[in-house]
């Protein structure tokens, strides 16, 4: 393999730059030419392809976001879009790809490989940590620490005003961000999509807390909880407890930015190298990940279909720790 392409796709995450850097440096180290494809699959379709040298990735390991930009491509969902993308790769002589992204990115990569046979490996870049085949995804540790920093600040004002705060964290389908935020932030209640938490449970927990003379509460709500958004949940609870002084904070995209933590830089560097070396070994359609400290490659077909387990013990821990 003499020429490879690298791109970032889907929601950006802190550490994507560190991963791009690792792909480029490792390719250069192995005498492989490397091209950056801008704006994910959209840029691939349009031929936004630039040559990257070792110096192109200087001074980016500590930067959030992605120097290659990112996008969620509607066009790539069509056969015509994928054909156009393949034509651009052929035109540029690109023989293999490294995709940095989440499940949407790998779903696209899997179909693309089936149709055109181009070797593709993936590095898990998403703050959600919802990918099967790796204990942690690139950006997750940073996002959790960013959210925790905000929750600590919310705790101060919640305590001063004796209020109940409903704090919404990201995670459309997963409570992976919510759980460490709840445990690390000393929250009283956590609501995640994987575990059923009814509004009546929340009301009971709040009432029991007041009975034990607690005066402020933090409820962490994962974006995708089945009871609705933090705004909706707060309204439902307020309806049942009119005397409660409730506020809602949606942390939103602040969780996606910022300098990556040491853990994310290390993970991104390790997986970026693993993708290049994997392509050199002839691997394809797999995601590089770390499971129990070991590097593993998991087929895209599994990373996109299998659900990553989240132990109900974690929600129980929140209950125990707030008792
Ligand atoms: O997948 C990462 C993520 O940040 C999710 O947690 C969130 O639901 C989604 O992306 C938000 O997407 P967008 O930036 O397109 O609004």
């Amino acid at each position: 393999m003499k020429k490879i392409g690298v791109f970032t796709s889907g929601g950006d995450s802190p550490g994507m730059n560190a991963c791009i850097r690792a792909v480029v440096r490792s390719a250069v180290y192995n005498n492989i030419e490397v091209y950056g494809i801008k704006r994910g699959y959209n840029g691939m379709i349009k031929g936004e392809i630039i040559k990257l040298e070792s110096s192109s990735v200087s001074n980016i390991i500590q930067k959030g976001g992605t120097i290659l930009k990112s996008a969620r491509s509607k066009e790539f969902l069509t056969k015509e879009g994928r054909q156009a993308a393949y034509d651009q790769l052929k035109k540029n002589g690109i023989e293999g790809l490294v995709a940095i992204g989440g499940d949407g990115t790998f779903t696209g990569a899997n179909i693309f490989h089936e149709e055109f046979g181009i070797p593709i490996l993936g590095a898990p870049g998403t703050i959600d940590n919802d990918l099967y085949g790796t204990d942690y995804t690139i950006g997750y540790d940073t996002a959790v620490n960013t959210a925790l920093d905000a929750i600590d600040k919310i705790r101060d004002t919640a305590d001063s005003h004796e209020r109940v705060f409903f704090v919404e964290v990201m995670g459309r389908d997963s409570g992976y961000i919510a759980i460490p935020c709840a445990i690390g932030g000393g929250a009283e209640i956590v609501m995640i999509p994987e575990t059923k938490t009814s509004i009546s449970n929340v009301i009971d927990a709040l009432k029991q807390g007041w009975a034990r003379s607690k005066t402020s509460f933090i409820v962490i709500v994962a974006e995708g909880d089945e009871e609705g958004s933090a705004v909706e949940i707060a309204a439902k609870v307020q309806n049942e407890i009119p005397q409660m002084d409730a506020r809602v904070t949606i942390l939103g995209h602040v969780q996606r930015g910022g300098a990556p933590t040491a853990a994310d830089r290390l993970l991104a560097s390790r997986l970026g190298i693993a993708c290049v070396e994997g392509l050199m070994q002839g691997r394809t359609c797999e995601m590089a990940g770390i499971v129990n400290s070991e590097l593993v490659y998991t087929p895209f077909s599994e990373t996109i279909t299998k659900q990553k387990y989240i132990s109900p013990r974690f929600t129980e821990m929140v209950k125990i720790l707030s008792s």
Side-chain angles (χ1 to χ4, degrees):
M1 195 166 285
K2 286 274 156 264
K3 273 190 192 181
I4 62 168
V6 57
F7 64 100
T8 49
S9 162
D12 63 343
S13 69
M16 278 185 161
N17 279 329
C19 192
I20 296 167
R21 173 180 178 269
V23 169
V24 172
R25 294 273 163 95
S26 151
V28 169
Y29 182 83
N30 288 292
N31 299 314
I32 296 171
E33 276 186 59
V34 58
Y35 287 78
I37 300 162
K38 300 194 90 176
R39 300 179 180 81
Y41 291 118
N42 279 347
M44 201 183 287
I45 292 167
K46 291 193 185 126
E48 294 182 63
I49 298 172
I50 50 166
K51 176 103 192 337
L52 296 175
E53 311 287 353
S54 187
S55 59
S56 319
V57 291
S58 297
N59 203 19
I60 65 164
I61 193 167
Q62 78 284 18
K63 291 190 176 141
T66 157
I67 58 160
L68 292 177
K69 316 282 184 204
S70 194
R72 301 188 198 275
S73 175
K74 288 211 173 76
E75 241 184 303
F76 197 75
L77 297 175
T78 67
K79 181 78 204 271
E80 297 71 40
R82 294 192 293 275
Q83 180 68 55
Y86 181 68
D87 293 345
Q88 291 292 352
L89 295 180
K90 260 204 113 179
K91 195 167 117 192
N92 285 277
I94 293 173
E95 301 159 308
L97 289 171
V98 176
I100 307 169
D103 54 354
T105 305
F106 300 153
T107 303
N110 213 22
I111 299 171
F112 197 47
H113 175 79
E114 270 171 25
E115 288 174 347
F116 300 101
I118 184 153
I120 314 178
L121 287 182
T126 164
I127 63 164
D128 292 344
N129 199 30
D130 58 351
L131 288 169
Y132 178 86
T134 190
D135 289 342
Y136 300 106
T137 55
I138 299 162
Y140 171 64
D141 186 62
T142 309
V144 167
N145 280 291
T146 301
L148 256 186
D149 180 55
I151 291 161
D152 287 347
K153 289 170 177 144
I154 291 168
R155 168 72 72 191
D156 290 344
T157 179
D159 186 51
S160 304
H161 286 266
E162 305 188 316
R163 282 173 169 159
V164 181
F165 267 84
F166 292 82
V167 182
E168 185 177 296
V169 296
M170 274 188 169
R172 258 178 315 212
D173 311 307
S174 153
Y176 264 101
I177 296 180
I179 289 290
C181 284
I183 295 173
E188 280 66 29
I189 301 160
V190 64
M191 302 180 71
I192 61 171
E194 294 90 340
T195 314
K196 178 104 192 81
T197 321
S198 65
I199 296 296
S200 62
N201 290 154
V202 177
I203 292 166
D204 288 348
L206 291 172
K207 286 185 175 163
Q208 283 162 21
W210 274 307
R212 292 197 316 274
S213 309
K214 276 203 177 200
T215 56
S216 67
F217 299 82
I218 303 276
V219 182
I220 303 291
V221 181
E223 197 183 15
D225 190 78
E226 72 283 356
E227 288 287 355
S229 67
V231 173
E232 288 162 337
I233 291 168
K236 288 183 201 170
V237 179
Q238 182 84 73
N239 205 27
E240 298 298 318
I241 318 177
Q243 70 279 19
M244 174 183 75
D245 193 7
R247 293 291 185 277
V248 176
T249 303
I250 298 169
L251 295 182
H253 288 78
V254 72
Q255 295 160 95
R256 289 238 297 258
T261 58
D264 274 329
R265 294 179 203 194
L266 180 63
L267 180 68
S269 301
R270 216 173 153 189
L271 297 181
I273 292 174
C275 284
V276 174
E277 291 183 350
L279 283 175
M280 289 166 66
Q281 291 154 13
R283 310 193 80 103
T284 184
C285 269
E286 292 172 333
M287 181 191 81
I290 304 291
V291 176
N292 293 331
S293 305
E294 296 293 331
L295 173 69
V296 291
Y297 295 92
T298 304
F300 285 149
S301 56
E302 287 183 35
T303 62
I304 59 184
T305 52
K306 290 197 178 169
Q307 217 197 334
K308 190 159 156 182
Y309 177 71
I310 188 159
S311 169
R313 179 68 180 157
F314 289 126
T315 35
E316 204 186 329
M317 273 176 71
V318 175
K319 202 172 167 189
I320 295 170
L321 293 169
S322 67
S323 63

